[in-house]
């Protein structure tokens, strides 16, 4: 891969012109709707922009406040990292493992199982079912079961009690994490070259784990990378689920994340400068993790 | 009202005491002979009479079920009264009549009844101008009210479309903002059609398809009519019943062959009457509707909304009627077809009674069945037989004929009253059970229910039997085991299982409750017989019925046109009024409501063009757009595409925008409006001593309670918190619960308030902030004590922290709750079986040192604002005239009235304008309760950073409930967060 890149770089600009022209429409959109907002967020993060009045340049004030005096941001940062570090890898590994299992099934069954596993991600707001399961009403599913079993006598406020809320959100996020990454694994496993498996078997492969490690992984580099990127961006952008389940803001900010903190400042407090600073930090965090994951995965695929 | 409620409650109480006997009697009515039945019911009715309490019509009806109905009429003229209470005789519209026009006026008549029997009452009346609600009267016979329903006999007002012929485009019927018809039709407002009309007194719930029957013995009787609501002139009153309509065969035998209208060359004898072009209707909600779903409904337009149908969901109440005037070129018999759609009541029929020139022509037209189907169909009047179809013809006179269709429950009336009775009975059983087991029973414990409630098994068995019979009736009518019948069967099964084995009751309690709710829901679905019709067509008998659709190709073309026009038509803009105005001085108004509301506002603007002028007489043009004014408003303002005014803005937004300099102050416009509002309506809209919004709505809590349960337990609705705790204890002893919302979750708005905490705080004389609004006052003794009282409700008294008020109130397991006064609407519309069994009162208060009770609380407000752009565009004056007009009493009252007219009681508006409030449809007693509460309402000022208030108080509350903090410690800690944020925001906005 890296060799090809170098060759392309050495090509004179004129031979690349057709490609650039063909790419232009997309590049324009990409610039206007992705690059420009990112750049403007970086610029705005150094101002006290509040959406209505003219903004003043405030230097690093926003960042200083964010890291040194905003206690809620610390909570949000901690929560986001825990969510990302647990649900990201767990979701990623689970996605792969389940895709790997499914791959052994015959075609019809495989389609059905794929559909079932993937459906929570497609169905969008289906996680509302968890609101019923963990409803704080005495008729909520879990409360009802526990009360019938005589384990508790009063309903537990699952989603507003700081002892439970965080864990419940974590479960739901993992449940939802079988997204596009999972699909790419299923597709990737399908497209593997059977010849390698045969060759490896002849070369003395001892068990399936070895097969997985020496044959499957190296072939699946791009899919693994894609899945990882998806699960990182998914894990860091956690927020909607928390909001729907535990309210906004949650009790004592127990399930607050960086994204929710950003929205809090942008939509209820209208402190866009500060919100931009949060966005920049979130962006930087995602970039950092992406680089780390890339390094780790390259070890497998090379 | 109060008296009525108590009477009702008492009679129910009596019913309950004689429960077993009466219930068995009613339940077995079909199985037993009439004499047996009479003996048993007689005992009950005698018991009721002996204690001089009112019986319901259900009992009255059953008591007199075997008495004969008198055919023919005994009439008395309105002016021939024997006694009267200051009633006037006037000539109204050419008829001499007695006029009743102020509350509780009455007239008495002496009537001579020829024979013992049942008499319906029919009144010839004229609606006198008043508050535009239906007229209600009480009928007393010989000084007694025969049954509860006799206290609320409705005489509906008649309405017609208010159409200005000058604005109607060529060939169209309705007004349109564009003269060529290239715009949406404007739904006409309904104006009163004041004509003399005759009406039987009927049950609007549809439990009885015949008029109310009064049992009268032969001889002289004194009948008194007492006005309850509105104003009316009465020309005559008739007692008796129509003879049964003749059968179709007898009807058609009256005519000779020459009477059949046959198609003739060169002459089009077909009469097509577009259903939306009505002559009159008897309810204000029966306005023209539209169907855009296909090409075939007439008239239609792919791009714009044309009002082309009538009826829909609003045409579903017993007695609701449309009248059309059709012109026949030739007298004779015609074939009648109706293009109709009934996609409202699955598996059921909607019934309509057809009248031609005021009379039902033949028996078969008493209840024409419209079957359920997703799409439109042509219903040709006939015997409905598939194999041997025969059309029924109707006779029209030459010239004008009046044709009417009236909603009726047909033979479903028996089902309705059975279910209503079942729900009341099952709820009673449910309450008896939970008084022993509590709502959350221990399933491993034997409550010995059969010993605790000896009648339980019999009651359940009787209920099961009663339901089984009801289900059978439904199946006989619908011909299939449709969803309604299966719902009843489901309930029957559950009740039956409980009857067989009372030991499983604790385990099955929740499904029993769900079953009762299902049954309650059926009343609303079965009793609502909605229908939509497109046109009626009278044809010569030898012509073929017109096709229902325009064919596939036309429909496809229409759909394509619809799709294409969806790119060009701006559906969010309801209209741009002022074709003559140049663009620059148009006042752009954003409103975040549904389309119906926006249409009403638009119509009000149009109708009041004469009031919307600037001081120098220039007409103001207003452009109304439907925009969800949340974050959009701020973004649009930022990009310069924002509006000049915005309506229905939550209470914290004006402050948020004002602090950022996006709003224009409205302080100088307050003076002219101040006396129409309570001070609490303005409070949240102040920022730095300037007013930034004019108040539109204001909502606060009321106490809802079940009068029947309170009567049964012999308790009064609590006035103070001490009473409240006492009542709560009594209710809890019977395992009933009390509902106090912990945190107002329905209003998740940032500063919606922590409603229960607020009540304690305000009643203690406390408030949120200090005088210069720079700090909270929660960490004062008043704040601490309010917080502690709030926490104690849940920690000490064990109230449920979250609950479904509506369903629990309905079953009666939560007979007392504090809820927003808008809950009234939901209960009124969706729980018809509870009508008369609940009431509202002011919230519990705190007894002050001088003996008075402080019932203070905070309110949730909304208002309208003017943005900076109004100044830059130099239309500040025009915008202010618009806003002042919009919140003024007349406009708000009219808006509220129209809203209720369009969407029904469920959409009753809650204006902040107290003058406008008086024009709404509350009864005098209800209005008195609301007003008393309203006067004690305070509102909290909005200050920058106060979004943290609700968060912090909520977190403090939860940390106490989760056992992490003591109340005082929690409040102190979280209060610091609030004050820090307030300080930070004050610095940001340069206040400090």
């Amino acid at each position: 891969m890296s060799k090809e890149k170098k060759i392309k770089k050495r090509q004179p600009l004129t031979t690349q012109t057709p490609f650039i022209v063909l790419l232009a429409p997309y590049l324009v959109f990409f610039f206007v709707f992705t690059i420009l907002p990112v750049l403007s967020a970086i610029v705005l993060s150094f101002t006290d922009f509040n959406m209505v009045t003219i903004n003043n340049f405030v230097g690093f004030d926003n960042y200083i406040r964010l890291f040194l005096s905003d206690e809620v941001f610390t909570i949000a940062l901690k929560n986001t990292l825990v969510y990302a570090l647990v649900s990201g890898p767990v979701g990623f590994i689970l996605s792969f493992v389940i895709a790997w299992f499914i791959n052994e099934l015959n075609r019809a069954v495989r389609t059905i199982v794929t559909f079932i596993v993937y459906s929570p991600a497609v169905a969008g707001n289906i996680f509302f079912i968890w609101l019923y399961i963990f409803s704080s009403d005495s008729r909520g599913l879990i409360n009802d079961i526990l009360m019938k079993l005589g384990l508790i006598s009063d309903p537990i406020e699952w989603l507003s009690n700081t002892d439970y809320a965080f864990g419940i959100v974590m479960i739901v996020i993992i449940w939802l994490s079988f997204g596009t990454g999972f699909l790419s694994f299923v597709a990737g496993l399908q497209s593997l070259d059977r010849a390698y498996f045969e060759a490896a078997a002849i070369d003395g492969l001892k068990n399936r784990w070895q097969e997985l490690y020496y044959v499957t992984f190296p072939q699946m580099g791009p899919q693994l990378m894609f899945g990882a990127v998806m699960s990182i961006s998914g894990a860091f952008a956690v927020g909607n689920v928390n909001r729907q389940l535990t309210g906004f803001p949650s009790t004592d900010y127990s399930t607050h994340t960086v994204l929710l903190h950003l929205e809090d400042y942008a939509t209820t407090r209208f402190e866009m400068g500060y919100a931009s600073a949060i966005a920049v930090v979130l962006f930087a965090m995602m970039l950092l993790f992406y680089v780390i994951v890339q390094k780790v995965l390259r070890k497998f695929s090379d | 009202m109060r008296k009525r409620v108590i009477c009702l409650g008492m009679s129910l109480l009596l019913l309950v005491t004689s429960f077993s006997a009466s219930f068995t009697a009613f339940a077995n009515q079909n199985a037993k002979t009439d004499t047996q039945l009479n003996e048993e019911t007689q005992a009950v009715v005698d018991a009721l009479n002996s204690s001089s309490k009112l019986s319901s019509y259900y009992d009255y009806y059953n008591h007199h079920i075997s008495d004969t109905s008198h055919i023919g009429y005994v009439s008395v003229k309105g002016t021939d009264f024997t006694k009267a209470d200051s009633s006037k005789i006037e000539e109204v519209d050419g008829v001499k009549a007695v006029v009743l026009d102020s509350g509780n006026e009455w007239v008495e008549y002496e009537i001579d009844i020829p024979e013992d029997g049942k008499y319906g009452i029919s009144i010839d009346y004229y609606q006198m101008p008043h508050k535009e609600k239906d007229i209600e009267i009480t009928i007393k016979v010989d000084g007694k009210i025969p049954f509860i329903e006799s206290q609320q006999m409705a005489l509906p007002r008649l309405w017609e479309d208010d159409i200005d012929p000058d604005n109607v485009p060529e060939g169209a019927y309705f007004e349109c903002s564009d003269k060529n018809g290239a715009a949406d039709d404007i739904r006409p407002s309904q104006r009163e059609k004041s004509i003399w009309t005759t009406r039987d007194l009927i049950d609007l719930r549809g439990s009885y398809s015949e008029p109310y029957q009064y049992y009268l013995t032969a001889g002289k009787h004194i009948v008194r009519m007492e006005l309850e609501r509105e104003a009316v002139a009465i020309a005559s009153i008739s007692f008796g019943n129509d003879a049964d309509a003749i059968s179709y065969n007898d009807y058609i035998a009256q005519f000779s062959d020459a009477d059949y209208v046959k198609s003739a060359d060169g002459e089009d004898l077909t009469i097509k009457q577009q259903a939306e072009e009505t002559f009159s209707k008897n309810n204000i909600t029966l306005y023209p509707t539209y169907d855009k779903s296909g090409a075939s409904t007439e008239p239609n337009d792919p791009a714009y909304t044309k009002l082309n149908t009538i009826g829909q969901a609003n045409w579903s109440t017993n007695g609701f009627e449309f009248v059309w005037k059709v012109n026949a070129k030739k007298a004779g018999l015609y074939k009648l077809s109706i293009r109709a759609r009934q996609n409202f009541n699955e598996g059921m029929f909607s019934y309509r009674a057809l009248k031609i020139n005021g009379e039902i022509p033949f028996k078969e037209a008493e209840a024409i069945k419209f079957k359920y189907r997703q799409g439109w169909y042509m219903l040709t009047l006939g015997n409905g037989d598939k194999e041997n179809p025969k059309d029924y013809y109707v006779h029209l006179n030459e010239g004008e004929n009046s044709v009417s269709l009236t909603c009726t429950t047909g033979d479903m009336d028996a089902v309705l009253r059975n279910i209503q009775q079942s729900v009341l009975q099952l709820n009673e059983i449910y309450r008896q059970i939970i008084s022993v087991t509590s709502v959350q029973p221990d399933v491993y414990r034997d409550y010995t229910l059969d010993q605790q409630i000896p009648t339980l098994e019999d009651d359940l068995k009787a209920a099961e039997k009663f339901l089984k019979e009801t289900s059978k009736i439904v199946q006989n009518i619908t011909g299939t085991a449709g969803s309604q019948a299966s719902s009843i069967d489901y309930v029957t099964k559950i009740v039956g299982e409980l009857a067989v084995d009372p030991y499983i009751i604790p385990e099955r309690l929740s499904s029993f409750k769900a079953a009762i709710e299902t049954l309650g829901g059926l009343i609303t679905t079965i009793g609502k017989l909605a229908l939509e019709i497109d046109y009626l067509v009278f044809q010569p008998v030898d012509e073929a019925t017109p096709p229902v659709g325009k064919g596939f190709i036309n429909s496809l073309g229409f759909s394509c046109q619809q799709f294409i026009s969806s790119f060009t038509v701006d559906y969010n803009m309801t209209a741009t009024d002022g074709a003559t105005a140049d663009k620059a001085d148009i006042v752009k108004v954003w409103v975040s409501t549904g389309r119906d509301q926006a249409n009403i506002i638009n119509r009000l603007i149009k109708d009041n063009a004469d009031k919307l002028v600037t001081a120098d007489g220039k007409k103001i043009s207003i452009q109304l757009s439907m925009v969800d004014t949340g974050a959009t408003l701020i973004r649009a303002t930022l990009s310069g595409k924002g509006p000049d005014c915005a309506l229905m803005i939550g209470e914290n937004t004006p402050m948020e925008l004002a602090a950022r300099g996006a709003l224009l102050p409205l302080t100088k416009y307050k003076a002219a409006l101040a006396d129409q509002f309570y001070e609490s309506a303005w409070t949240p809209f102040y920022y730095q001593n300037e007013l930034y919004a004019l108040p539109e709505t204001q909502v606060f809590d009321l106490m809802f309670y079940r009068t029947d349960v309170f009567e049964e337990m012999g308790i009064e609705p609590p006035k103070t918190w001490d009473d409240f705790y006492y009542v709560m204890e009594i209710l809890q002893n019977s395992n009933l619960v009390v509902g106090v919302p912990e945190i107002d979750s329905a209003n998740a708005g940032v500063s919606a308030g922590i409603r229960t905490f607020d009540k304690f705080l305000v009643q203690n004389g406390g408030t949120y902030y200090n005088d210069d609004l720079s700090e909270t006052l929660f960490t004062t003794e008043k704040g601490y004590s309010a917080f502690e009282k709030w926490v104690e409700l849940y920690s000490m008294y064990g109230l449920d922290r979250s609950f479904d008020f509506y369903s629990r109130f309905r079953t009666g397991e939560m007979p007392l709750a504090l809820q927003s006064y808008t809950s009234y609407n939901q209960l009124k519309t969706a729980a018809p079986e509870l009508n008369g069994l609940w009431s509202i009162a002011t919230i519990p208060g705190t007894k002050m040192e001088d003996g008075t009770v402080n019932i203070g609380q905070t309110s949730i407000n909304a208002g309208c604002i003017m943005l900076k752009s109004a100044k830059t565009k130099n239309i500040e004056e025009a915008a202010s005239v618009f806003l002042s007009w919009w919140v003024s009493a007349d406009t708000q009252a009219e808006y509220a009235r129209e809203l209720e007219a369009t969407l029904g009681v469920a959409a009753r508006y809650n204006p902040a304008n107290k003058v406008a409030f008086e024009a709404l449809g509350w009864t005098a007693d209800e209005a008195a309760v609301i007003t008393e509460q309203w006067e004690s309402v305070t509102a909290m000022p909005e200050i920058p950073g106060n979004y943290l208030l609700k968060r912090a108080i909520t977190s403090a509350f939860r940390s106490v409930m989760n056992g992490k903090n003591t109340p005082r410690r929690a409040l102190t800690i979280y209060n610091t967060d609030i004050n820090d944020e307030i300080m930070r925001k004050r610095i940001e906005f340069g206040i400090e």
Side-chain angles (χ1 to χ4, degrees), chain B residues 8 12 149 205 207 416-427 431 513 515-525 706 708 806-812 826-838:
Chain B
L8 197 65
L12 255 144
E149 286 82 348
R205 289 169 302 179
S207 319
L416 265 175
R417 53 178 182 260
N418 281 6
I419 295 179
Q420 272 166 9
Q421 204 59 23
S422 281
V423 170
L424 292 177
Q425 288 158 348
L426 291 175
N427 270 335
R431 280 203 300 278
K513 185 182 156 195
I516 302 174
E517 277 170 30
T518 310
L519 208 56
L522 271 184
I523 301 175
T524 17
T525 50
R706 284 286 296 268
D708 53 341
Y806 173 63
S807 68
R808 287 191 171 190
F809 190 73
R810 212 169 163 174
T811 57
Q826 192 191 11
L827 283 174
K828 199 83 189 168
T829 45
E833 86 277 9
L834 284 189
N835 274 348
L837 299 184
W838 57 277

Side-chain angles (χ1 to χ4, degrees), chain B residues 770-932:
Chain B
N770 62 2
D771 287 339
D772 59 356
L773 302 177
S774 60
E775 226 177 28
T776 61
L777 289 177
F778 295 138
T779 48
T780 58
E781 203 38 56
K782 283 172 182 163
Y784 283 134
S785 109
F787 189 74
E788 277 168 354
K789 280 184 192 160
W790 180 34
V791 172
E792 276 171 7
L793 272 181
Y794 305 95
S795 62
M796 200 162 95
Y797 295 102
L799 295 192
D800 285 5
R801 286 172 62 193
S802 47
F803 53 85
D804 176 5
F805 162 71
Y806 173 63
S807 68
R808 287 191 171 190
F809 190 73
R810 212 169 163 174
T811 57
E813 85 178 54
M814 182 180 278
L816 177 68
L818 303 185
Q819 285 289 309
S820 160
Y821 90 78
T822 49
S823 303
Y824 176 95
N825 304 350
Q826 192 191 11
L827 283 174
K828 199 83 189 168
T829 45
E833 86 277 9
L834 284 189
N835 274 348
L837 299 184
W838 57 277
S839 189
I840 50 173
T842 53
I843 61 160
T846 303
K847 209 159 202 169
M848 307 308 284
E849 276 166 15
D850 60 356
T852 56
V853 176
N854 184 345
I855 52 168
Q857 60 168 314
T858 56
S859 66
I860 301 170
N861 299 9
C864 50
I865 53 175
M866 195 197 299
L867 289 110
K868 266 273 159 68
S869 59
K871 190 160 200 170
T872 47
K873 281 163 70 184
N874 210 11
I875 48 166
E876 199 182 338
E877 194 203 343
S880 72
V881 169
F882 169 71
L883 290 182
S884 301
W885 164 82
W886 166 242
V887 299
S888 69
D890 288 349
T891 317
Q892 289 288 299
E894 212 175 326
Y895 175 69
R897 204 156 40 219
E898 292 269 317
L899 197 62
E900 200 170 327
T902 311
L903 302 169
V905 182
R908 185 170 286 174
Y909 187 57
N910 43 307
N913 190 311
K914 57 184 178 189
V915 184
F917 171 80
E918 284 164 18
L920 297 185
W922 302 97
T923 64
D925 298 281
E926 289 161 354
V929 168
I930 295 172
T931 310
E932 187 191 348

